[in-house]
Amino acid sequence: MRDMLDIQKLLVPDLLDSMKKRYTVLQHILVSGVVGRRTLAASIGSTERVLRGEVEFLKEQGLLQIDASGMRITEDGRLLLEQIEPLVKDLFGLTDWEERIRSRFGLKQVVIVPGDSEASPHTKKELGRAGASVMRKLVKEEEVIAVTGGSTMAEVANQLNATASMKSCWFVPARGGLGESVDLQANTIAATMAKKAGGRYRLLHVPDHLNDEAYQSLLQDDHITEVFHFIRKARMVVHGMGDAMVMARRRKVDPETTASLQREGALAEAFGYYFDRSGRILHKMPTVGLRIEDIHDMDTVIGIAGGRGKGEAILAVLRYGHEDVLVTDEAAAAEIVQLLSS
């Protein structure tokens, strides 16, 4: 297939360009559910006039349905996207990047979606869809699944749907709350995932950042302790990855600790731990939730993050060496590959 693609790129590049455009249109409609032509044109950087021709062609092929509410993908369109995904990744050059990152860090799987999730809400939705797909494939029956908070994880939750395996699973927050928008809290995301998947959930009603005195006090509460031990039964954790300084601000880390993190070269944060360029842990937050030793014992650790500014942070977490699967986007992958090359 790769040889044929190379020949087509040389002889009929216009055909491949058309294929990319039509794939992009279908993919955006898939993650949007229902979308109008004007909104779609703005999302993919096209004009309504140019888009009209592509939409009519896709409708004639039975891949799109158009009504008063907008455009939606048909089941044939959905199946086509699944079938041509490997081919499209070759067209975008993402397959080589996936294998390079996977082999470099000994991961079980790397999934890269086209685009930049920092710049495009549709790419972030596609990142969520890819993350949800990985979860569905790897989950085992009656598993406890721990999840972190954040906007990317919220998209994963929104894109999840029920499978036979997931209906018997428990979804739990990996850590306490950050005090940010309730929609982005780990508790909310765990509950949403459970509802979407037809499973069950447990919640952890404590703040994420605690001083030692408060931490020890909470551990005296029987209910908190019981939930804490239940969370530690998780065999799969699905987590985001963030820039260290951004996360320090979100977590309201005290100025002295923040200054120390900067001096020591903190680049990344994941599940409350701060990492430097080499993947060394610089600082951990005292909290009721998963500990790093719990992560080490997990059957499956899935990291999901994207955006042009996240490449260095993702790379730092990968160098820590306990990820099994990475789901990211083209923009972050490009930065990771460039950093590995240099």
Side-chain angles (χ1 to χ4, degrees):
M1 181 185 289
R2 295 298 302 277
D3 291 341
M4 181 59 69
L5 273 178
D6 290 338
I7 292 170
Q8 288 177 326
K9 287 176 183 177
L10 289 172
L11 296 179
V12 281
D14 291 348
L15 177 63
L16 296 180
D17 287 342
S18 294
M19 185 174 180
K20 282 184 180 181
K21 288 177 185 176
R22 288 166 184 169
Y23 172 84
T24 300
V25 170
L26 284 174
Q27 191 64 37
H28 274 66
I29 295 173
L30 172 67
V31 299
S32 299
V34 180
V35 64
R37 192 161 58 204
R38 179 176 300 176
T39 300
L40 180 60
S43 296
I44 65 175
S46 178
T47 64
E48 287 191 68
R49 183 182 62 80
V50 170
L51 181 61
R52 185 180 298 112
E54 301 293 353
V55 165
E56 287 302 320
F57 173 85
L58 294 170
K59 180 184 176 184
E60 289 172 5
Q61 303 305 311
L63 305 175
L64 286 184
Q65 177 184 336
I66 304 175
D67 54 33
S69 61
M71 299 175 287
R72 70 186 77 226
I73 198 164
T74 63
E75 187 58 30
D76 284 346
R78 191 184 303 274
L79 290 173
L80 177 66
L81 283 177
E82 291 179 5
Q83 292 167 355
I84 69 170
E85 185 174 2
L87 175 62
V88 171
K89 284 194 172 186
D90 276 340
L91 291 178
F92 282 96
L94 303 183
T95 304
D96 289 339
W97 286 359
E98 288 177 341
E99 178 55 26
R100 181 172 178 181
I101 296 170
R102 190 205 64 76
S103 60
R104 171 65 177 78
F105 296 102
L107 304 176
K108 295 176 182 176
Q109 185 181 9
V110 174
V111 178
I112 302 172
V113 303
D116 181 351
S117 56
E118 281 182 10
S120 167
H122 286 278
T123 300
K124 178 161 280 193
K125 288 181 180 179
E126 173 58 11
L127 193 61
R129 189 190 70 83
S133 176
V134 167
M135 287 180 65
R136 286 193 296 270
K137 290 175 183 175
L138 298 181
V139 72
K140 298 173 183 176
E141 290 186 359
E142 299 183 7
E143 195 159 37
V144 178
I145 304 169
V147 299
T148 63
S151 59
T152 300
M153 292 303 303
E155 287 294 352
V156 177
N158 289 334
Q159 298 293 331
L160 207 59
N161 50 43
T163 65
S165 297
M166 281 194 169
K167 287 181 179 179
S168 63
C169 290
W170 286 88
F171 294 82
V172 298
R175 305 181 66 80
L178 272 177
E180 58 189 348
S181 169
V182 67
D183 292 340
L184 305 184
Q185 297 275 3
N187 270 338
T188 304
I189 290 167
T192 301
M193 284 186 173
K195 291 171 183 175
K196 291 272 188 175
R200 294 164 288 178
Y201 62 91
R202 297 289 299 273
L203 301 182
L204 183 62
H205 296 295
V206 297
D208 186 68
H209 182 34
L210 302 168
N211 58 40
D212 289 336
E213 183 179 351
Y215 178 72
Q216 294 301 325
S217 176
L218 276 174
L219 291 182
Q220 305 306 311
D221 184 288
D222 290 342
H223 174 71
I224 295 295
T225 303
E226 192 270 329
V227 175
F228 176 39
H229 287 306
F230 189 83
I231 290 171
R232 291 184 60 196
K233 293 179 182 178
R235 307 311 304 160
M236 173 186 284
V237 61
V238 189
H239 70 92
M241 292 172 267
D243 176 273
M245 292 301 104
V246 171
M247 293 305 299
R249 287 193 297 272
R250 284 177 58 192
R251 293 182 184 276
K252 296 180 173 59
V253 175
D254 64 86
E256 183 179 343
T257 302
T258 300
S260 174
L261 288 171
Q262 286 181 311
R263 284 195 305 271
E264 296 184 62
L267 286 178
E269 186 275 343
F271 30 79
Y273 290 78
Y274 291 81
F275 304 85
D276 68 8
R277 187 182 305 276
S278 66
R280 182 170 61 100
I281 294 175
L282 300 176
H283 179 71
K284 61 180 180 179
M285 304 290 293
T287 185
V288 178
L290 289 181
R291 304 167 303 179
I292 206 72
E293 51 264 43
D294 300 320
I295 306 296
H296 294 175
D297 292 336
M298 294 281 180
D299 293 334
T300 308
V301 180
I302 304 172
I304 307 176
R308 190 170 302 278
K310 287 280 187 74
E312 201 165 27
I314 295 169
L315 187 55
V317 177
L318 291 178
R319 283 175 170 152
Y320 177 66
H322 287 278
E323 300 297 311
D324 294 306
V325 179
L326 171 66
V327 182
T328 189
D329 62 22
E330 182 180 5
E335 187 178 357
I336 291 170
V337 169
Q338 183 179 11
L339 289 166
L340 289 175
S341 298
S342 61

